[in-house]
């Protein structure tokens, strides 16, 4: 695959509007009995009809064989090389909940978790608590955990079992090993500095994690936390600077609002469900040239190992597509940030199907599926090039060279 970077200078101001629709974790693997993926199993007549008048293809979020996190995968969809702009999930989560990060802050994603009496992880997500339960645990940590006086820390609830820790002080860095072992029945990993400059931050994190376990010791489910996704906030160029257009982002989960905010998109609100998300997009459509809407459920059901549930989640998104198409975007790009096969119960490296609808599309298939997209006219591309394709279809890319 080519590592060429399309010059931002090719982007022209003016042109059509772009709508990016992301079904998180869209890509899947065939069911052994039916031979169909979750997307191919779903009854999605609206997506199929749109695919029949669209260009189709597959994208690779980072590189062949590389399993992406949600942050890098979304940065790629927004036109950024995720290997050039290395942004930890902690920073994206902090931005997503509206926290004003300062340069030099270190942010970490926290999983509210359940530990047994021997300190082993029983549930990495504490049974997926309600937002009220999660906020209560965060408030306990805020009021009872103590760090040295020369360091400020902020604990913020994100959603359900997700929270954010931000450390602010002199000489902090973020090269720290994650403490989440990614399995149960074992103790959490130690917060180890992976570079000498991160030793102080690692020690502060160990103090915080110990304090959190003490503060939450009386709780039945949320009685500790796991830390991951460490990030030193340093900022990156916005889509306005790079592509000459502003953006609007609508997502129920804070992390996805965070990655959009990181690249300069406006966040008009925090919808509680898909219907509210679509209504929010309808209300604010046209304020900018670029619009992004995110649907989380396909990924969540994939991580649960629920094949039928993931197919049903895709069907629910399909049901709102008439409302999305009624907005009249000149270019509609539909895809996932990565694959989350139910058979694997986690993100995977498999290419992701996408469709691109515009007046200039060259239709090649009759359905939106991995099979149809593999034979599409756009072939297999790196995810970061989807933005240049969308810009071109919107009349926003100049000719390269004489």
């Amino acid at each position: 695959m080519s590592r060429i970077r399309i010059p931002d200078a090719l982007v022209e101001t003016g042109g059509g509007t772009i709508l990016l629709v992301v079904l998180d974790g869209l890509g899947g693997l065939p069911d052994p009995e039916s031979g169909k993926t979750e997307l191919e199993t779903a009854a999605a007549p609206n997506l199929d009809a749109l695919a029949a008048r669209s260009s189709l293809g597959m994208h690779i979020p980072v590189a062949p064989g590389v399993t992406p996190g949600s942050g890098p995968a979304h940065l790629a969809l927004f036109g950024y090389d995720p290997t050039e702009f290395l942004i930890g999930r902690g920073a994206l989560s902090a931005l997503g909940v509206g926290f004003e990060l300062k340069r030099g802050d270190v942010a970490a994603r926290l999983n509210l978790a359940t530990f047994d009496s021997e300190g082993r992880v029983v549930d990495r997500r504490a049974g997926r608590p309600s937002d009220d339960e999660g906020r209560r645990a965060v408030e306990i940590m805020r009021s009872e955990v103590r760090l040295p006086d020369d360091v400020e820390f902020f604990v913020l609830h994100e959603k359900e079992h997700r929270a954010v820790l931000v450390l602010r002080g002199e000489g902090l860095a973020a090269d720290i090993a994650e403490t989440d072992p990614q399995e149960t029945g074992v103790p959490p990993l130690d917060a180890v500095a992976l570079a000498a400059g991160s030793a102080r931050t690692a020690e502060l994190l160990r103090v915080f994690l110990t304090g959190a376990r003490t503060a939450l010791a009386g709780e039945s489910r949320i009685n500790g936390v796991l830390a991951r996704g460490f990030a030193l906030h340093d900022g990156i160029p916005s889509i306005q600077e790079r592509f000459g257009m502003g953006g609007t982002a609508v997502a129920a989960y804070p992390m996805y609002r965070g990655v959009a905010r990181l690249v300069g998109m406006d966040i008009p609100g925090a919808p509680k469900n898909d219907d509210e998300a679509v209504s929010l997009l309808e209300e604010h459509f046209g304020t900018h040239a670029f619009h992004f809407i995110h649907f989380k459920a396909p990924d969540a059901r994939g991580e649960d190992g629920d094949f039928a549930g993931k197919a049903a989640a895709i069907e629910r998104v399909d049901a709102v597509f008439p409302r999305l198409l009624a907005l009249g975007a000149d270019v509609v790009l539909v895809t996932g940030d990565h694959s989350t096969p139910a058979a694997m119960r986690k993100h995977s490296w498999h290419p992701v199907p996408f469709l691109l609808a515009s007046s200039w599309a060259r239709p090649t298939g009759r359905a939106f599926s991995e099979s149809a997209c593999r034979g599409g006219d756009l072939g297999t591309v790196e995810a970061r090039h989807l933005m240049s394709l969308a810009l071109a279809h919107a009349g926003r890319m100049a000719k390269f060279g004489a």
Side-chain angles (χ1 to χ4, degrees):
M1 297 176 68
S2 170
R3 299 307 301 169
I4 186 172
R5 175 173 175 176
I6 305 301
D8 294 347
L10 289 180
V11 176
E12 296 184 322
T13 57
T17 53
I18 300 169
L19 172 61
L20 170 63
V21 182
V22 175
L23 285 73
D24 202 300
L26 177 64
L29 290 173
D31 178 78
E33 294 185 7
S34 69
K36 295 181 179 180
T37 68
E38 298 93 331
L39 176 58
E40 293 164 345
T41 300
N46 295 308
L47 283 166
D48 288 344
L50 184 61
R53 59 183 179 86
S54 301
S55 289
L56 304 178
M58 302 288 284
H59 77 73
I60 296 178
V62 178
V66 175
T67 297
S70 295
H74 275 81
L75 276 179
L77 292 179
F78 297 155
Y80 294 76
D81 185 339
T83 66
E84 178 183 355
F85 298 98
L86 301 174
I87 310 297
R89 189 155 183 165
L92 301 179
S93 293
L95 291 166
V97 297
F99 185 81
E100 293 293 338
L101 287 174
K102 296 183 179 180
R103 288 186 181 272
D105 285 354
V106 169
R109 170 83 175 274
L110 300 179
N111 265 30
L112 306 177
T114 306
F115 295 80
D116 66 16
S117 60
E118 300 298 322
R120 295 181 294 252
V121 179
V122 174
D123 191 327
R124 296 174 50 246
R125 301 181 180 91
R128 293 189 182 274
S130 68
D131 287 342
D132 285 343
E133 292 172 312
R135 283 190 287 266
R136 179 175 175 274
V138 164
E139 189 54 43
I140 291 173
M141 288 186 280
R142 282 179 184 161
S143 61
E144 298 189 22
V145 176
R146 296 289 180 267
L147 291 185
D149 292 340
D150 63 337
V151 176
E152 291 184 90
F153 77 96
F154 310 86
V155 190
L156 313 141
H157 183 250
E158 186 175 359
K159 193 171 181 65
E160 297 174 343
H161 64 281
R162 301 173 179 88
V164 185
L165 170 68
V166 178
L167 299 173
R168 178 173 294 166
E170 296 295 325
L172 301 181
D175 294 319
I176 301 170
E178 298 186 347
T179 72
D180 185 352
Q182 299 289 323
E183 59 180 316
T184 57
V186 298
L189 303 174
D190 191 20
V192 176
L194 302 177
S198 296
R200 181 169 186 255
T201 312
E203 176 57 31
L204 291 169
L205 184 65
R206 286 192 288 269
V207 173
F208 173 82
L209 295 174
T210 299
R213 287 289 306 278
T214 300
L216 297 168
E219 301 296 311
S220 59
R221 280 204 302 170
I222 305 173
N223 59 7
V225 294
L226 301 168
R228 51 197 289 219
F230 301 100
L232 178 68
H233 181 60
D234 203 27
I236 65 175
S238 70
I239 61 168
Q240 182 68 55
E241 293 170 315
R242 292 196 58 205
F243 307 128
M245 59 183 184
T248 300
V250 177
Y253 278 67
M255 200 285 293
Y256 307 99
R257 298 198 298 270
V259 68
R261 189 166 170 232
L262 183 69
V263 299
M265 293 189 208
D266 289 342
I267 313 296
K272 296 178 181 178
N273 52 51
D274 291 350
D275 184 68
E276 284 190 16
V278 176
S279 296
L280 198 59
L281 181 65
E282 290 171 332
E283 180 183 350
H284 293 273
F285 190 83
T287 55
H288 293 296
F290 183 81
H291 299 272
F292 156 61
I293 185 168
H294 177 271
F295 297 97
K296 177 64 175 176
D299 176 65
R301 300 293 76 77
E303 290 192 337
D304 290 342
D306 185 352
F307 186 99
K310 181 177 173 182
I314 295 169
E315 291 176 354
R316 289 193 293 272
V317 178
D318 181 79
V320 304
F321 253 81
R323 293 172 63 186
L324 298 178
L325 296 179
L327 296 171
D330 298 290
V331 177
V332 179
L333 176 59
V334 183
T335 189
D337 52 341
H338 52 75
S339 294
T340 307
M344 297 180 69
R345 294 176 175 262
K346 60 183 179 181
H347 296 193
S348 79
W349 61 91
H350 297 90
V352 186
F354 72 91
L355 68 78
L356 195 158
S358 84
S359 299
W360 315 118
R362 294 192 295 197
T364 55
R366 296 182 179 180
F368 187 42
S369 66
E370 284 88 349
S371 298
C373 290
R374 277 196 298 271
D377 68 303
L378 294 176
T380 299
V381 301
E382 293 177 66
R384 64 195 179 96
H385 293 314
L386 295 184
M387 178 63 89
S388 57
L389 281 167
L391 289 166
H393 279 254
R396 291 176 171 270
M397 289 283 280
K399 182 174 69 173
F400 178 64

